[in-house]
Amino acid sequence: MKIIKISNNSEAGKVVSDLILEEVKSNSNIVLGLATGSSPITTYENIIVKSKEQNIDWSKVTTFNLDEYKGLAPDHSQSYRYFMNNKLFNHINIDSKNTFVPSGMIETNQEAQKYDELIAQKGGIDLQLLGLGINGHVGFNEPGSEFEGLTSVVKLTKSTIEANARFFDNEKDVPTQAISMGLKSIMNAKKIILIATGEAKAEAVKNLVEGPVSKNWPCSILLNHKDVTVVIDHEAAKLLK
Ligand code: GLP
């Protein structure tokens, strides 16, 4: 696991956007795994600016997002599809047909696993971007999730609902379930970059970097992956030995 220490999320955006754009420049057919949440926003902002400046071609790039809230339609202002269109896709020359976000209308795990089949059909994810939940979740794989899990309908924990309530008018509006790529779907990516900034992530970062690998901290499974880069600020790193 490679660790890059930066001073804040704005610097994370500069560093991670460069890492992603280098990959896109060297492989115009790349398959990217993308994340939502506040952590990757500065990365997407930098990608938009640099793609214009450097004339980077996204027309053959394919993207798969990690997760979507169950029950939210793509045009719902808190859906992850809406987030991705607004924060990234509408501002680069990506073909919308090549951007995939799990449907919030999926009801069964059988339907959900078609997402993994689609990822495999497209050749698998070359580079997966991740954020980190306060409780160590990646995607919406909450503590206790199976390491072998594929895309499925998942139940959100109370702490995740509380953490994400800031994006909704009312905590009661936060969906209690989501469709999320599983830990195995994530581990199948060839390369992974995770962004974690701020003190609230410190305990999860400690478990991610120092282990032990345990279902109590889903992020700790990344210790078993051979190409993970973790981009953290001093606050998120403060419990590390
Ligand atoms: C959300 C998302 C995750 C994200 C995490 C952290 O619940 N499902 O994919 O990484 O929480 O969010 P943030 O970056 O806003 O701290």
Side-chain angles (χ1 to χ4, degrees):
M1 185 172 280
K2 181 174 167 195
I3 296 176
I4 300 179
K5 282 203 186 151
I6 38 82
S7 49
N8 51 40
N9 186 271
S10 144
E11 201 189 336
K14 291 184 188 145
V15 170
V16 176
S17 61
D18 281 341
L19 294 173
I20 294 174
L21 290 173
E22 282 315 308
E23 301 276 344
V24 173
K25 283 190 261 183
S26 66
N27 174 10
S28 60
N29 292 298
I30 194 166
V31 178
L32 294 177
L34 297 178
T36 50
S38 45
S39 304
I41 292 178
T42 54
T43 296
Y44 296 149
E45 288 169 350
N46 278 274
I47 286 179
I48 293 166
V49 171
K50 291 174 193 170
S51 293
K52 286 204 178 99
E53 281 170 2
Q54 300 171 37
N55 224 345
I56 294 170
D57 182 19
W58 286 80
S59 63
K60 292 199 290 261
V61 174
T62 299
T63 65
F64 284 94
N65 262 80
L66 283 168
D67 45 17
E68 180 59 282
Y69 286 116
K70 187 163 184 287
L72 296 197
D75 60 354
H76 188 288
S77 65
Q78 292 309 328
S79 76
Y80 285 164
R81 161 56 78 180
Y82 188 92
F83 175 104
M84 289 309 301
N85 286 348
N86 279 284
K87 302 285 185 211
L88 182 64
F89 300 148
N90 290 349
H91 310 284
I92 53 177
N93 76 325
I94 199 161
D95 184 340
S96 59
K97 289 198 292 298
N98 296 339
T99 69
F100 298 93
V101 179
S103 162
M105 301 304 153
I106 284 174
E107 295 284 345
T108 66
N109 288 341
Q110 210 182 353
E111 279 175 85
Q113 283 182 19
K114 297 214 171 93
Y115 200 65
D116 294 281
E117 288 165 23
L118 191 59
I119 294 171
Q121 272 169 30
K122 301 282 178 188
I125 291 173
D126 295 300
L127 172 62
Q128 174 70 55
L129 180 62
L130 294 176
L132 181 64
I134 293 168
N135 63 2
H137 73 215
V138 284
F140 267 133
N141 294 284
E142 301 282 34
S145 299
E146 293 298 329
F147 289 153
E148 290 302 308
L150 293 171
T151 306
S152 66
V153 181
V154 297
K155 213 168 162 280
L156 305 185
T157 61
K158 195 164 185 307
S159 79
T160 296
I161 292 169
E162 280 164 12
N164 290 359
R166 66 189 193 277
F167 300 111
F168 291 79
D169 292 337
N170 194 311
E171 193 178 312
K172 286 202 287 295
D173 298 335
V174 186
T176 56
Q177 287 181 297
I179 322 304
S180 178
M181 274 167 61
L183 292 172
K184 177 133 192 239
S185 323
I186 293 169
M187 288 292 282
N188 281 340
K190 294 178 191 97
K191 231 180 232 197
I192 295 175
I193 300 176
L194 180 147
I195 305 170
T197 55
E199 198 178 355
K201 305 289 171 73
E203 199 183 356
V205 166
K206 185 177 171 59
N207 283 278
L208 161 70
V209 174
E210 294 175 2
V213 175
S214 152
K215 283 191 196 167
N216 295 336
W217 291 93
C219 56
S220 64
I221 186 66
L222 299 178
L223 283 166
N224 291 345
H225 193 284
K226 61 177 183 351
D227 194 344
V228 178
T229 301
V230 173
V231 180
I232 45 176
D233 68 355
H234 304 292
E235 287 171 3
K238 77 180 220 186
L239 297 179
L240 294 180
K241 281 201 196 98

